[in-house]
Amino acid sequence: MRVTHELLLAHPQLLTLPFVAPLLCTADLSVAASGPGMHIPMIVFWILMQLITLGKVTTSLTGINFWHDVTAAAIGLNIALMLFNLLIPAFPLDGGRILVDVLMLCGLSPESSAGVSVGLSSVVAFFLITLGLLSGLSGLTMIAIGAWIGYQAYILLRHLRNKTINQHPLFSLPSRAGFQQQQQPAQNAGATVRNPLGQV
């Protein structure tokens, strides 16, 4: 993937080919999905450890059997982290990257996809912060995560307003640039040429 991006940066004209940007966007989607997928081997490992040592699979804690609680907590934590990172459609979580890839593959422009991402990320941030405040001291981590997502949404919104969306990490990939070039073919092909006297 890195070699492909370096090739496209060296030869940006390849991005104008209609099939290149969707392929790259699909590849980025698979990379984003692989992040949460890394929890699957860990879940399988702890399930096997439970089956071998306890003869059953459970995520409930007893407070009595230390090994039982360790394996149960490991399974539950990995499942929770995988689902949170995959299903929460907020950047910079992998779910946010997947959302943008899907939107652009469905035909939305980078600007429209960024607007959707900002809106959903703001809602998620507000929900997490509110839930954290209602949870007391135990909700401090949730408040921190919500604030982090909210700050990232603000940065994306600022790029959107300043029309510098292509400088944001989420939209600076060659796949995103390919969609931008395909949506503005006339502007790319109709660049004015100056004559030797400097007149248009």
Side-chain angles (χ1 to χ4, degrees):
M1 188 70 176
R2 180 180 177 182
V3 175
T4 304
H5 283 185
E6 291 177 351
L7 176 64
L8 291 172
L9 290 173
H11 304 282
Q13 65 273 16
L14 294 176
L15 291 171
T16 59
L17 297 176
F19 59 88
V20 172
L23 285 177
L24 286 175
C25 209
T26 303
D28 183 67
L29 192 154
S30 64
V31 171
S34 67
M38 292 300 294
H39 291 283
I40 295 177
M42 295 300 299
I43 295 172
V44 173
F45 170 78
W46 287 110
I47 288 177
L48 290 176
M49 292 300 294
Q50 277 195 342
L51 289 174
I52 294 172
T53 59
L54 303 175
K56 62 179 181 179
V57 177
T58 178
T59 57
S60 61
L61 305 179
T62 63
I64 301 175
N65 188 320
F66 175 75
W67 177 248
H68 176 284
D69 289 351
V70 167
T71 56
I75 294 173
L77 180 61
N78 276 282
I79 292 176
L81 289 175
M82 180 182 68
L83 294 179
F84 181 82
N85 203 18
L86 180 64
L87 300 180
I88 301 298
F91 181 80
L93 300 177
D94 288 319
R97 288 179 57 190
I98 293 173
L99 171 69
V100 169
D101 285 322
V102 171
L103 290 176
M104 295 183 67
L105 285 172
C106 289
L108 265 70
S109 67
E111 290 76 14
S112 298
S113 301
V116 173
S117 179
V118 168
L120 289 177
S121 296
S122 300
V123 171
V124 170
F126 176 79
F127 175 77
L128 291 177
I129 292 174
T130 302
L131 192 59
L133 291 174
L134 295 176
S135 302
L137 293 177
S138 62
L140 291 179
T141 301
M142 198 171 298
I143 294 174
I145 295 174
W148 174 56
I149 292 176
Y151 177 69
Q152 295 297 328
Y154 166 74
I155 293 177
L156 180 55
L157 177 62
R158 188 171 60 184
H159 278 288
L160 188 59
R161 288 178 173 176
N162 294 335
K163 301 185 183 304
T164 56
I165 194 68
N166 60 323
Q167 298 178 13
H168 189 274
L170 186 59
F171 293 92
S172 61
L173 296 175
S175 58
R176 314 293 196 255
F179 276 107
Q180 290 174 331
Q181 289 191 22
Q182 289 178 19
Q183 290 170 0
Q184 298 176 342
Q187 294 181 7
N188 293 332
T192 58
V193 179
R194 293 182 177 277
N195 62 26
L197 297 178
Q199 296 176 346
V200 178

